[in-house]
Amino acid sequence: MANDTPAGPTNRLAREPSPYLRQHATNPVDWYPWGEEALARARAEKKPILLSVGYSACHWCHVMAHESFESPDIARLMNEGFINIKVDREERPDLDQIYQGVVQLMGQGGGWPLTVFLTPDLRPFYGGTYFPPEDRYGRPGFPRLLTALRDAWLNKPGEIEDQAQRFQEGLGELSTHGLDAAPGHLSAEDIVAMGHAMAKRMDPVHGGFGGAPKFPNPMNVALLLRAWRRGGGEPLKAAVFRTLERMALGGLYDQLGGGFHRYSVDERWLVPHFEKMLYDNAQLLHLYAEAEQVESRPLWRKVVEETVEYVRREMTDPAGGFYATQDADSEGEEGKFFVWRPEEIRAALSPGQAETVLRHFGITPQGNFEHGATVLEVVVPVATLATEQGRPVEAVQEELDAARRLLFAAREQRVKPGRDDKILAGWNGLMIRGLALASRVFDRPDWAKLAARAADFVLANMWDGTRLLRSHQDGQGRIDGFLEDYGDLASGLTALYQATFDAKYLDAADALAHRAVALFWDEEKQAYLSAPRGQKDLVVAAFSLFDNAFPSGASTLTEAQVALAALTGDVAHLDHPEHYVAKLHDQLVRNPLGYGHLALAADSLLDGASGVTFAGTREAVAPLLAAANRTYAPVFSFGWNDPGTPPPARLQELFEGRDPVEGQGAAYLCRGFVCERPITDAATLAERLVAAPGH
C-alpha cells in the first residue's frame, strides 16, 4: 500500500511523500527528486540529467523499474554518467507535459515511463518511453543507450548542443500550437460538424474511438451527445449508447467491484490495463448520468451506483478527500486481483450458481487472459440465461446478484492492488463534479454529501483563499496548484452548488476562477499557462491547450466561468471564455478529438450564460427541480432563491424579481441574461429546457 516503508538500504526518495517515488527508494540508482539540489549538482559537475517520469499505478513503469533500476550493473551506468531524477507526473504535470513533447517530436507516441535526457540547463537532447534491459521490441537496450549517450556527451558536444537547440525550439512551437490563429466565431453548426467528425472515427461494432488500444475518452463521447442535442441526428446518440453499453458489459468495467480500469488493450473492451484512475471514473460517472437524462436505462443506473460505491469504498480518505489511483498489479502480477478461473468460481458458489456465473461471464478453462485466467465480461445476457434455463428473468437476476456478492467477498480476501493515497485538488474537483451531477439525476443526496465532504476537505486543507495546493498526503499539503487544479476544482464546486445550493461552494468557485485568471492568463497569447507565470524550472512556457485522458485546466476553468456567469449574474466571467474559445476556434473545428472538454465548455457558451433560478420553498420547487434534474440540458446552470433565507450578497441582484408566483414554486429560465416568463408547471419546464434557443 501507499504508506509502506521501504525495507533495506534506501536512497533520497525514501524521504519523499509520493508513493511513486518511494517505490524506487531501494533502487541502487542514486535518485534525486526534482529540485534545486539535483539541478545544481548537474550544473556543477557538467553532467547530463536522466529524467524518469511515471506514476504509481503505471504497469510499464514497474516493469522498467524491475528490469533496469533494480539492476546494480545498469544502476552503475546511470550513476557514473548522469544525474538521475525521478518525477511523479501526478505531482508535476507541467514537467510531464513539456517533456512528453520530446517523444512527440521524435515521431513516437508518448506515455509512461517517460525517459528523457537533458543538459544541465534542462534542454532535452534525447528521449523515449520504456527501454528494455537488452535490445528487443525494436527498441535499444537501456545499457547500450546509456553508454552511447554518455559517449556522445563526452566526445560529441557539438552534436548534443545542436540536438538540444532543435528540441528547445520544437518544444516552444508545440507549447503554443494554434495560438497564432486569428479568432473565429463558434456556432451550433460547428458543434454538430465536430460531432459528425468524431462519429466517423468511432468503431461501429464495439463503440469507442479507433482500434486497439482503446481508451474511454468520456469527454469526446459527451461531445457527441451535445452534437445530437443541437440537431445532429439519432446516429450520434446511437454511437454514444453503443459505446457506453459495450464498455459497461466488457472487461474494462469491474463486473464485481464497480469502477472502470484505465483502458483496453484490445478493440472490444475485453482485457484492460487494470489500474483504476480517479479522473477516469469521475468523467465516466458524469457521462453515464447524462446518458440517464437522455434515456433512462437500468444499465446506466447499475454502472453509476456501483462506481460510486467503488469510489466510496476504495478511494475515499477517512477525512473525506479522494485518492488518486489504484495499481494494476498485486503480488507482482498485473490483474491478479481481478481475474478468475473456473475452479475458483466453483469453490465460492453452489453448483447451480457456479454454472450460471460461468456461462454469464464466459469463464472457461482456456480463459481470455494470461495463464488460463478470465477477465470477467458479460458474454450471455440475463434474458438469454433465463430462456435457456426456463426460468423467470427476475429469478436468474436474483441468483446472479447473490453470486456476485459472494464472489466479491471471496475476492476481498485476496491481496489488493496498491493504492496511491495522495489527494490531488484537481482530480478531486473532477470527482466532485461527477458525483454532484449523479446525485441530482438519480436523486441520491447521499452522493452529494460524499462530494461535499471531499470539497470541504480540499477547501480546509489545500486552499487559503489566494493559494491552492495541488497535493495533500500524510497530513500535509504541498506543491503549488497548477491550472488544472484551479479549473477542475472550480468546475466541481459549481456543480456541487447545483446539487446542494450551499452558497459557500459558489463563493469558493468564484474566488478560484478569479485567482486562476490572475495566475495563469497570458494576455499576449490570449491563453492559459499550465503552471503559474514565472515558474523557474521550465525549459519553455507550458500552455494548457489539449484535453487528453483528463481535461486541460483551461477547459475546466472555461466550463466553470460560463456556469459562474449564469449562477452569479456576473457577466465579467464570460470575458476570458469568449476570448479563449475564439482564439482556439480553428483548432477546435479541425481537431475536435484533441479538445473534447473545451468543446463542451464552448457549447455551453454558445447561448450566453444559460440558467434556471428556482424560487420558492424546498417543498414548492421540488417538482420543478426533479423535472429539471431528469432532463438533459447540459448548458443550463441551476440556482435556488429560497424566500425563507436571505440570499448571499453576490446573488441579491440576480434574484431580484425572481419570486414564487402566487405561492407556487416558479422557475425562471434565462439565456444570455434574458429571462422567459416564470414557469410553474414541471412538464412545461422540461419542454423549455430542451427547446432550441428562440423557439
Side-chain angles (χ1 to χ4, degrees):
M1 298 299 283
N3 291 321
D4 286 351
T5 302
T10 59
N11 56 43
R12 295 173 190 82
L13 301 186
R15 301 190 294 270
E16 291 297 303
S18 161
Y20 174 64
L21 298 189
R22 290 206 303 269
Q23 286 173 358
H24 297 80
T26 58
N27 294 168
V29 178
D30 186 20
W31 287 119
Y32 284 85
W34 183 274
E36 184 52 32
E37 182 185 5
L39 304 183
R41 184 180 166 196
R43 293 191 297 267
E45 298 184 14
K46 296 183 172 55
K47 271 189 173 181
I49 293 167
L50 192 169
L51 175 65
S52 176
V53 183
Y55 60 100
S56 68
C58 164
H59 173 68
W60 285 100
C61 300
H62 300 330
V63 172
M64 190 167 175
H66 294 320
E67 291 177 340
S68 293
F69 303 150
E70 293 173 8
S71 162
D73 291 338
I74 294 177
R76 187 180 68 255
L77 292 174
M78 294 171 67
N79 296 339
E80 289 174 356
F82 305 89
I83 304 301
N84 303 291
I85 300 180
K86 180 61 80 170
V87 166
D88 183 342
R89 65 111 172 179
E90 294 170 2
E91 290 190 334
R92 288 300 301 268
D94 55 335
L95 292 172
D96 181 58
Q97 175 190 332
I98 289 172
Y99 290 119
Q100 288 285 350
V102 174
V103 189
Q104 295 173 40
L105 291 169
M106 293 174 68
Q108 305 173 27
W112 301 277
L114 177 66
T115 310
V116 182
F117 296 85
L118 316 176
T119 64
D121 59 359
L122 309 183
R123 293 176 300 150
F125 60 88
Y126 191 81
T129 52
Y130 161 79
F131 290 101
E134 62 274 328
D135 295 3
R136 63 173 184 245
Y137 312 133
R139 299 167 186 250
F142 200 44
R144 186 161 73 87
L145 179 69
L146 294 170
T147 302
L149 290 177
R150 188 186 186 197
D151 176 68
W153 180 261
L154 295 174
N155 300 313
K156 302 173 183 176
E159 291 182 15
I160 295 287
E161 175 59 29
D162 289 347
Q163 190 84 325
Q165 187 64 31
R166 284 197 297 271
F167 271 125
Q168 185 173 18
E169 292 169 0
L171 291 178
E173 292 170 6
L174 269 183
S175 176
T176 59
H177 180 70
L179 293 183
D180 293 330
H185 176 70
L186 195 75
S187 66
E189 290 74 21
D190 287 333
I191 298 293
V192 172
M194 290 158 68
H196 285 302
M198 283 192 173
K200 290 177 182 176
R201 305 283 293 272
M202 294 192 87
D203 182 333
V205 177
H206 306 293
F209 296 95
K214 186 172 282 185
F215 289 79
N217 277 315
M219 64 190 82
N220 291 338
V221 179
L223 181 56
L224 264 72
L225 277 185
R226 299 291 187 99
W228 165 78
R229 175 182 174 271
R230 295 277 179 190
E234 288 302 304
L236 294 179
K237 185 179 87 168
V240 170
F241 279 20
R242 182 186 309 116
T243 299
L244 297 188
E245 182 179 286
R246 299 318 305 165
M247 287 196 302
L249 298 177
L252 182 82
Y253 183 70
D254 182 350
Q255 299 293 336
L256 292 185
F260 289 86
H261 301 292
R262 184 162 168 253
Y263 67 92
S264 169
V265 301
D266 55 80
E267 77 285 351
R268 69 180 191 89
W269 309 111
L270 172 59
V271 176
H273 256 314
F274 289 90
E275 59 263 43
K276 290 182 180 178
M277 318 300 288
L278 187 69
Y279 60 76
D280 283 328
N281 285 285
Q283 294 174 86
L284 287 162
L285 264 182
H286 197 277
L287 178 58
Y288 277 87
E290 287 190 322
E292 175 73 11
Q293 290 178 316
V294 172
E295 184 180 304
S296 182
R297 290 192 180 184
L299 182 59
W300 309 156
R301 178 180 289 272
K302 173 181 180 291
V303 165
V304 172
E305 288 178 345
E306 291 176 357
T307 300
V308 175
E309 177 57 21
Y310 158 70
V311 171
R312 186 201 61 75
R313 182 183 71 243
E314 300 288 343
M315 301 295 281
T316 304
D317 186 84
F322 299 122
Y323 300 139
T325 62
Q326 198 172 35
D327 210 334
D329 300 7
S330 53
E331 300 183 85
E333 291 184 31
E334 185 181 14
K336 183 174 183 179
F337 179 78
F338 298 100
V339 298
W340 292 84
R341 292 172 175 80
E343 60 271 21
E344 294 172 320
I345 299 293
R346 293 191 173 98
L349 303 175
S350 70
Q353 284 178 321
E355 293 312 309
T356 298
V357 164
L358 292 171
R359 182 109 174 89
H360 181 58
F361 288 126
I363 304 167
T364 65
Q366 296 76 32
N368 57 26
F369 188 55
E370 300 167 353
H371 313 303
T374 294
V375 180
L376 301 188
E377 64 165 340
V378 176
V379 173
V380 181
V382 173
T384 304
L385 288 172
T387 301
E388 291 175 352
Q389 298 175 4
R391 301 165 61 199
V393 170
E394 295 78 13
V396 176
Q397 187 64 62
E398 286 178 12
E399 182 180 55
L400 270 175
D401 289 344
R404 287 172 69 237
R405 288 192 291 271
L406 290 170
L407 291 176
F408 175 79
R411 195 179 79 172
E412 285 292 282
Q413 305 307 308
R414 299 176 178 177
V415 176
K416 287 193 174 185
R419 183 176 59 202
D420 190 323
D421 62 1
K422 65 174 168 290
I423 295 166
L424 297 172
W427 295 9
N428 270 252
L430 292 176
M431 182 54 73
I432 290 164
R433 173 181 177 267
L435 284 168
L437 179 66
S439 75
R440 292 167 43 203
V441 173
F442 293 97
D443 191 21
R444 290 292 300 265
D446 54 318
W447 295 350
K449 289 179 182 174
L450 190 64
R453 286 190 71 229
D456 292 344
F457 176 88
V458 173
L459 293 175
N461 295 281
M462 303 170 72
W463 169 244
D464 64 4
T466 58
R467 179 186 183 216
L468 179 65
L469 298 177
R470 174 164 178 80
S471 180
H472 191 281
Q473 194 165 27
D474 297 336
Q476 65 178 30
R478 53 194 298 273
I479 307 173
D480 282 352
F482 297 95
L483 179 65
E484 69 177 65
D485 296 299
Y486 284 82
D488 295 358
L489 187 57
S491 176
L493 293 174
T494 59
L496 184 57
Y497 168 74
Q498 297 173 70
T500 63
F501 298 117
D502 187 333
K504 73 180 180 185
Y505 300 124
L506 190 62
D507 289 342
D510 187 82
L512 283 160
H514 283 297
R515 188 63 178 145
V517 170
L519 288 172
F520 301 100
W521 179 254
D522 185 281
E523 189 63 33
E524 179 191 351
K525 293 291 187 184
Q526 295 284 288
Y528 290 100
L529 294 158
S530 301
R533 269 192 309 277
Q535 185 94 9
K536 301 294 187 192
D537 55 2
L538 303 181
V539 66
V540 296
F543 283 88
S544 179
L545 300 175
F546 295 101
D547 299 313
N548 295 307
F550 45 85
S552 80
S555 300
T556 52
L557 180 61
T558 300
E559 177 180 71
Q561 289 165 326
V562 175
L564 284 165
L567 292 169
T568 66
D570 183 358
V571 70
H573 274 300
L574 295 181
D575 289 347
H576 290 89
E578 287 171 347
H579 284 103
Y580 185 62
V581 169
K583 172 65 76 169
L584 270 291
H585 172 268
D586 284 358
Q587 292 299 314
L588 267 170
V589 174
R590 288 179 188 168
N591 179 25
L593 281 168
Y595 299 91
H597 203 98
L598 181 61
L600 301 179
D603 179 56
S604 297
L605 183 63
L606 279 180
D607 308 325
S610 299
V612 178
T613 302
F614 298 91
T617 63
R618 174 74 73 171
E619 184 179 8
V621 303
L624 294 165
L625 189 58
N629 284 336
R630 287 194 301 267
T631 302
Y632 179 63
V635 303
F636 285 91
S637 299
F638 297 163
W640 178 33
N641 182 17
D642 178 1
T645 306
R650 73 170 64 249
L651 300 181
Q652 285 176 359
E653 184 177 344
L654 181 72
F655 286 170
E656 190 173 344
R658 298 183 186 181
D659 299 312
V661 175
E662 297 177 356
Q664 286 185 284
Y668 292 80
L669 188 151
C670 310
R671 288 184 172 93
F673 306 106
V674 177
C675 299
E676 300 181 8
R677 294 169 62 87
I679 300 167
T680 56
D681 176 69
T684 303
L685 175 61
E687 290 172 8
R688 296 306 303 153
L689 284 169
V690 299
H695 290 74

